[in-house]
């Protein structure tokens, strides 16, 4: 395996690669950097020689970033974003928003839970909140290169020796079955009535789906879903508009329950949704980068 001397790594060439990869066009990147296109191509080839890998596949005039190029781009993002933060930190004046909190939330997380959890942050006038949504794996990659301060998820993250982040459970919500308001004096009997309703379930990757199926197995009840939905916001809409009965944490449908659009049929024993925060051992808020 080839050993690369960090002292010989040319960060000037790395910056050129970063600009080209972000823009996707060599000609525009050269104009942005105020150098010739041939000089820019030469600088990137020098970087490829240093790293021992091609960073772009050249298909005619088009450039397609390679798999190794994507890895290098992730590190370059972290390096140059931190550089901008450094400049902003030492040159920022009084009266600006002094801190920035960058939070990533998994795409399947309840929006109601997010809003409830972040409400105190909204009241901090000197804090700039940046909220991003993606899969947990994508968010962990962004945190690894210091592009996020905190991740909120409904799955725990197992720490390992390569990463200095911690994961803590911050909340636990009961899970219930909800559906359209029933007629007066009517009652839903769990689990007897399960086979008689249009059952709306989270996707099979959901922890509460797994818990629910184990509960049904213990009760010797066979269930057949009418729909499987990963996104909690869509599950909430289906529960409200389809006439089905949805398996959701109560927080997901708190407004519909409050105003009578939905009714809680029952709270399920032994089925809960846990919420977790993942962060570096020393959480540091940052000044926003200068625009």
């Amino acid at each position: 395996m080839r050993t690369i001397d960090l002292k010989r790594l040319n960060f000037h060439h790395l910056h050129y690669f970063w600009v080209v990869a972000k823009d996707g066009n060599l000609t525009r990147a050269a104009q942005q950097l105020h150098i010739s296109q041939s000089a820019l191509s030469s600088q990137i080839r020098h970087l490829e020689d240093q790293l021992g890998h091609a960073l772009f596949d050249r298909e005619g005039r088009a450039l397609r970033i390679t798999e190794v190029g994507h890895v290098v781009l992730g590190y370059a993002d972290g390096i140059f974003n931190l550089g901008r933060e450094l400049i902003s930190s030492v040159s920022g004046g009084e009266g600006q928003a002094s801190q920035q909190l960058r939070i990533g939330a998994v795409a399947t997380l309840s929006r109601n839970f997010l809003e409830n959890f972040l409400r105190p942050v909204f009241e901090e006038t000197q804090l700039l909140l940046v909220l991003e949504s993606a899969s947990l794996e994508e968010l962990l990659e962004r945190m690894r290169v210091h592009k996020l301060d905190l991740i909120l998820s409904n799955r725990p993250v197992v720490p390992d020796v390569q990463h200095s982040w911690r994961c803590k459970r911050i909340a636990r919500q009961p899970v219930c079955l909800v559906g359209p308001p029933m007629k007066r004096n009517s009652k839903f009997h769990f689990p007897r009535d399960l086979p008689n309703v249009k059952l709306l379930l989270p996707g099979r990757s959901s922890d509460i789906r797994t818990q629910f199926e184990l509960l049904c197995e213990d009760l010797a009840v066979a269930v057949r879903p009418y729909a499987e939905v990963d996104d909690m916001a869509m599950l909430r809409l289906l529960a409200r508009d389809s006439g089905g009965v949805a398996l959701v944490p109560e927080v997901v449908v708190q407004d519909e329950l409050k105003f009578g659009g939905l009714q809680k049929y029952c709270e399920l024993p032994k089925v809960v949704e846990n919420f977790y925060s993942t962060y570096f051992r020393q959480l540091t808020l940052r000044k926003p980068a200068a625009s």
Side-chain angles (χ1 to χ4, degrees):
M1 181 180 293
R2 179 177 178 179
T3 301
I4 302 172
D5 186 351
L6 180 61
K7 291 184 292 185
R8 295 176 60 85
L9 181 61
N10 191 315
F11 285 88
H12 197 57
H13 294 169
L14 182 64
H15 182 258
Y16 284 169
F17 158 76
W18 184 60
V19 173
V20 173
K22 287 290 188 182
D23 189 279
N25 182 280
L26 193 66
T27 302
R28 287 196 303 265
Q31 293 171 347
Q32 181 181 340
L33 293 166
H34 305 292
I35 63 173
S36 69
Q37 184 173 327
S38 59
L40 180 56
S41 295
S42 176
Q43 304 274 19
I44 291 176
R45 280 196 296 271
H46 283 310
L47 179 62
E48 290 176 323
D49 290 341
Q50 283 185 307
L51 297 176
H53 293 279
L55 301 177
F56 294 104
D57 284 332
R58 292 160 176 83
E59 301 173 350
R61 295 187 177 183
L63 291 178
R64 184 175 62 84
I65 192 167
T66 64
E67 185 175 345
V68 172
H70 280 292
V71 174
V72 175
L73 178 60
Y75 282 100
D77 275 337
I79 291 169
F80 296 118
N81 285 334
L82 285 172
R84 283 203 298 255
E85 289 171 9
L86 170 63
I87 294 171
S88 176
S89 178
V90 299
S91 63
E94 298 274 339
Q96 299 181 16
S98 57
Q99 291 180 311
Q100 177 173 308
L101 179 60
R102 302 175 300 184
I103 296 180
V106 295
T108 57
L109 204 64
S110 162
R111 303 299 184 266
N112 284 340
F113 171 79
L114 272 177
E115 183 179 9
N116 294 343
F117 181 81
L118 295 173
R119 187 167 285 117
V121 178
F122 299 148
E123 299 172 0
E124 294 291 334
T125 58
Q126 295 301 308
L127 182 65
L128 173 63
L129 173 64
V130 178
L131 186 61
E132 301 181 18
S133 179
S135 70
L136 181 56
E137 290 71 22
E138 290 171 317
L139 295 175
L140 287 171
E141 179 60 24
R142 295 178 197 177
M143 175 173 277
R144 187 182 64 80
V145 294
H146 300 278
K147 295 174 70 175
L148 290 175
D149 301 303
L150 182 73
I151 295 173
L152 298 175
S153 69
N154 46 12
R155 284 168 45 200
V157 175
V158 179
D160 57 53
V161 294
Q162 298 180 9
H163 304 105
S164 58
W165 53 51
R166 291 181 176 177
C167 179
K168 287 188 177 182
R169 189 177 69 192
I170 55 175
R172 171 176 283 183
Q173 292 283 338
V175 174
C176 54
L177 291 172
V178 302
M182 291 185 287
K183 295 179 181 179
R184 191 173 182 180
N185 298 325
S186 295
K187 188 175 181 180
F188 182 86
H189 297 277
F190 176 82
R192 187 186 71 192
D193 291 340
L194 276 179
N196 304 321
V197 298
K198 294 196 301 185
L199 198 56
L200 310 172
L201 297 180
R204 294 185 180 275
S205 63
S206 165
D207 182 52
I208 62 174
R209 169 71 178 271
T210 302
Q211 295 177 57
F212 175 71
E213 290 184 338
L214 289 174
L215 175 62
C216 290
E217 185 178 318
D218 289 342
L219 297 172
V221 177
V223 294
R224 185 177 179 182
Y226 174 75
E228 299 178 348
V229 184
D230 282 329
D231 184 74
M232 279 292 163
M234 180 56 69
L235 193 57
R236 168 176 163 262
L237 292 177
L238 284 177
R240 189 185 69 190
D241 300 332
S242 73
V245 175
L247 174 74
V248 289
E250 191 168 339
V251 67
V252 172
V253 290
Q254 62 184 21
D255 295 331
E256 285 79 7
L257 294 176
K258 179 179 179 180
F259 295 109
L262 290 172
Q263 180 179 344
K264 182 167 75 170
Y265 289 2
C266 66
E267 189 172 303
L268 296 176
K270 302 179 183 179
V271 182
V272 297
E273 179 161 41
N274 295 304
F275 298 94
Y276 301 90
S277 65
T278 302
Y279 54 92
F280 283 108
R281 288 178 183 171
Q282 184 174 1
L283 176 61
T284 303
L285 301 186
R286 296 168 171 80
K287 291 188 177 182
S291 56

